[in-house]
Amino acid sequence: MNNFNLHTPTRILFGKNAIAELRAQIPADARVLITYGGGSVKKTGVLDQVLSALHGLDVLEFGGIEPNPSYETLMKAVTLVREQNVTFLLAVGGGSVLDGTKFIAAAALYPQDIDPWHIVETRGSDITRAVPMGSVLTLPATGSESNSGAVISRRSTGDKQAFMNPHVQPLFAILDPVYTYTLPPRQVANGVVDAFVHTIEQYLTYPVDGRIQDRFAEGILLTLIEEGPRALAEPENYDVRANVMWAATMALNGLIGAGVPQDWATHMLGHELTAMHGLDHAQTLAIVLPSLMNEKRDTKREKLLQYGERVWNITEGNEQQRIDATIAATRDFFERMGVKTHLSDYGLDGSSIPALLAKLDEHGMTALGERGDITLDISRRIYEAAR
């Protein structure tokens, strides 16, 4: 196992009516800006519950954060924070709202003579302070409620890039599975796939004898495989929704990635697909991952065989047959969740692959994967195999 430094300071308030604990998490003299997305939190009554819980505080609202939060929209919120002297941010929504709010938190206190897009260009390395923030989660998927990372898009340039900094780690997260009952099936399926691939990116690399991390990761994968389809079939099954919500949080709060190599090439290739074609984040992951697994079957051989045996119970055949069956089982799971796995399923013929590679090159994504051996040529092969 590799050395690691793990600090996961986000307080998790989990369960039915956890919103009752919200008020106690925010300073009494705070000037709060609530951020949210397209308005579903209004329709479902979640926003009303939040406002009721914050009664007596000085509260402002900012809505309209997109599913792929855009720099252009977020900068409007940054202006509001600066002009209104906001001292606390509360993200109410899913991972996109959380990611966007992390950018707002950092950008609002960023030097005003520097374009805040610099935060993304430097991967967050120059952030020295941020407005404190918390969250009320309504869509389990990204794990953004308990980590220090975010992914931001810039429509004007067609970019989608990630940044990370401990200053934007949420102080707390309210996780009430009941809030997920009204999610559209597409969002539920996307959330399950997103959490699944987050886990895979930290697990399907090469062995370092991180037995605890492996077993935790396998437990998350098995839970998502068991409960993902049930979440679609039984939308108001509290226990199912609770397990999916907790699995998504645990998939990316730092625990299973501590002390083990990590990949993240699937995400980097997927980000370019979203930026260029507007596909859902999880759709791009489902497209890229099976092709990447096949392309890297030799360097990932030991973990592919372990994954196949422990997660999919694949033990028959020679090694190559078992790896084939493992990749097929992964693709089939995504398809059963209703998330298609080929570019052609989304009307794409692969003609944009040269442009996708150019963006990877522009963003410095020329040596991806846990070994840094996924070159632009290998990325091209992965995209082409996913057509």
Side-chain angles (χ1 to χ4, degrees), residues 6 10 26 47 63-64 75 96 103 126 182 186 188 202 245 272 291 297 307-308 313 379 382:
L6 178 64
T10 302
I26 300 176
L47 183 59
M75 283 305 297
S96 293
F103 179 82
D126 288 349
T182 58
R186 176 170 162 175
V188 174
Q202 299 163 89
M245 179 171 261
E272 303 302 347
S291 297
R297 62 193 298 143
Y307 165 55
N313 197 30
S379 293
I382 292 169

Side-chain angles (χ1 to χ4, degrees), residues 59-323:
V59 176
L60 303 169
E61 297 179 29
F62 182 87
I65 297 176
E66 305 91 341
N68 292 293
S70 74
Y71 166 82
E72 292 84 355
T73 296
L74 300 175
M75 283 305 297
K76 297 176 183 178
V78 170
T79 299
L80 180 63
V81 170
R82 288 172 171 171
E83 291 180 347
Q84 297 297 323
N85 297 314
V86 169
T87 62
F88 198 94
L89 298 171
L90 181 65
V92 181
S96 293
V97 174
L98 272 150
D99 282 10
T101 305
K102 290 177 181 180
F103 179 82
I104 296 166
L109 299 184
Y110 212 60
Q112 295 197 31
D113 59 340
I114 301 176
D115 181 352
W117 184 250
H118 188 252
I119 291 169
V120 179
E121 292 177 327
T122 57
R123 307 287 191 267
S125 61
D126 288 349
I127 299 172
T128 59
R129 56 183 184 148
V131 179
M133 64 172 286
S135 71
V136 177
L137 187 68
T138 62
L139 172 57
T142 70
S144 189
E145 65 276 4
S146 63
N147 65 47
S148 60
V151 180
I152 306 299
S153 299
R154 191 168 191 172
R155 292 193 301 263
S156 61
T157 57
D159 291 314
K160 180 176 181 178
Q161 294 179 257
F163 74 90
M164 182 174 290
N165 188 281
H167 289 286
V168 298
Q169 177 102 13
L171 299 180
F172 65 85
I174 304 288
L175 275 61
D176 185 341
V178 174
Y179 289 167
T180 72
Y181 286 1
T182 58
L183 289 172
R186 176 170 162 175
Q187 291 186 343
V188 174
N190 280 349
V192 170
V193 170
D194 196 8
F196 192 94
V197 180
H198 285 160
T199 307
I200 286 288
E201 296 268 45
Q202 299 163 89
Y203 168 77
L204 197 63
T205 56
Y206 55 86
V208 293
D209 204 27
R211 300 191 184 196
I212 295 296
Q213 295 92 324
D214 279 1
R215 295 295 189 185
F216 278 1
E218 289 155 5
I220 294 169
L221 295 171
L222 286 166
T223 298
L224 292 168
I225 291 166
E226 293 165 357
E227 302 288 61
R230 292 186 68 194
L232 293 174
E234 307 169 38
E236 295 191 10
N237 185 320
Y238 179 84
D239 290 329
V240 168
R241 291 304 180 108
N243 281 315
V244 169
M245 179 171 261
W246 191 228
T249 296
M250 294 296 289
L252 202 58
N253 67 356
L255 182 64
I256 64 171
V260 299
Q262 302 182 25
D263 185 345
W264 301 111
T266 296
H267 273 72
M268 299 306 102
L269 271 65
H271 287 169
E272 303 302 347
L273 283 169
T274 293
M276 190 166 295
H277 297 294
L279 299 182
D280 296 348
H281 175 58
Q283 291 172 342
T284 71
L285 301 180
I287 290 168
V288 172
L289 180 62
S291 297
L292 186 145
M293 291 166 71
N294 188 56
E295 175 67 35
K296 303 304 294 180
R297 62 193 298 143
D298 292 335
T299 57
K300 293 180 181 288
R301 181 185 64 84
E302 292 174 274
K303 292 303 284 287
L304 273 167
L305 292 168
Q306 177 180 308
Y307 165 55
E309 179 176 351
R310 294 186 183 179
V311 175
W312 294 110
N313 197 30
I314 294 170
T315 58
E316 300 294 327
N318 61 37
E319 288 189 351
Q320 294 306 315
Q321 290 170 331
R322 281 148 50 201
I323 290 173

Side-chain angles (χ1 to χ4, degrees), residues 196 200 289-290 293 307 312 325-335 341:
F196 192 94
I200 286 288
L289 180 62
M293 291 166 71
Y307 165 55
W312 294 110
T326 297
I327 296 171
T330 304
R331 185 186 297 277
D332 178 65
F333 173 62
F334 295 159
E335 296 275 354
T341 59

